[in-house]
């Protein structure tokens, strides 16, 4: 599986209208593309950040859909976004899709790694880190996205609600620390978002 992410930042006063339009229009636009497997929309309304992730069955499907949808995407984001960053990733590890409602919590950890350590990181996350995260109260689903050649990636974890997200911080930090030491990972940032929409086929 492969994922295209879109990261947009802008004026918090304008975020609600953009989030509403993405929630209503993006899933149907994406679903018409070959290879589509799901869509997630996350928002930090206080700081003015939107993150989306669309899931695809192949790298070709990611590329082709981007060509078809980039103009419509730009139109939807233009009233809000000051900057927009688009990336494509390998979904190296992921758990089954969750059924969560609006207001669920999402934590995104971005990292860098030597490309030669990518396989070690994937195995460490799958066999050691993920089981510990899954045991945290309120856990719903998780995914590790990788750009192997670029030596970068992220881990996203969704919790049932904002309270569970906040309560998980210490335990997820402990699990993350072990992976960082074993696989020589450099953490670049940790962000938290509200889950607006989540679907995966």
């Amino acid at each position: 599986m492969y994922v295209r992410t879109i990261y947009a930042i802008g004026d918090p006063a304008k975020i609600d209208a953009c989030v509403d339009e993405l929630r209503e229009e993006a899933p149907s636009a994406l679903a018409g593309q070959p290879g589509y497997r799901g869509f997630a929309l996350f928002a930090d309304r206080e700081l003015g950040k939107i993150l989306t992730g669309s899931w695809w069955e192949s790298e070709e499907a990611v590329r082709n859909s981007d060509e078809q949808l980039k103009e419509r995407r730009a139109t939807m984001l233009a009233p809000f976004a000051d900057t927009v960053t688009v990336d494509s990733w390998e979904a190296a590890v992921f758990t089954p899709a969750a059924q969560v409602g609006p207001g669920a919590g999402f934590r995104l950890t971005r990292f860098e790694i030597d490309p030669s350590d990518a396989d070690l990181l994937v195995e460490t996350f799958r066999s050691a880190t993920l089981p510990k995260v899954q045991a945290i109260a309120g856990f719903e689903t998780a995914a590790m996205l990788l750009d192997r050649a670029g030596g970068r990636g992220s881990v996203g974890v969704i919790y049932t609600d904002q309270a569970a997200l906040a309560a998980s911080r210490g335990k997820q930090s402990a699990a993350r620390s072990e992976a960082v030491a074993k696989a020589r990972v450099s953490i670049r940032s940790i962000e938290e978002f509200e889950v607006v929409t989540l679907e995966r086929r």
Side-chain angles (χ1 to χ4, degrees), residues 18-55:
C18 186
V19 166
D20 289 345
E21 186 171 12
L22 287 167
R23 181 180 56 222
E24 293 172 5
E25 296 195 21
S28 58
L30 291 163
Q33 300 299 312
Y36 171 72
R37 290 293 177 268
F39 175 70
L41 171 60
F42 310 106
D44 178 340
R45 298 175 192 269
E46 183 176 359
L47 294 182
K49 298 187 291 185
I50 292 173
L51 175 66
T52 73
S54 54
W55 288 68

Side-chain angles (χ1 to χ4, degrees), residues 156-176:
V157 184
I158 292 176
Y159 293 90
T160 305
D161 52 35
Q162 294 295 316
L165 178 69
S168 72
R169 289 171 184 151
K171 290 183 178 179
Q172 189 173 334
S173 175
R176 181 172 56 243

Side-chain angles (χ1 to χ4, degrees), residues 2-13:
Y2 295 84
V3 177
R4 179 172 57 249
T5 58
I6 299 165
Y7 186 75
I9 60 174
D11 184 347

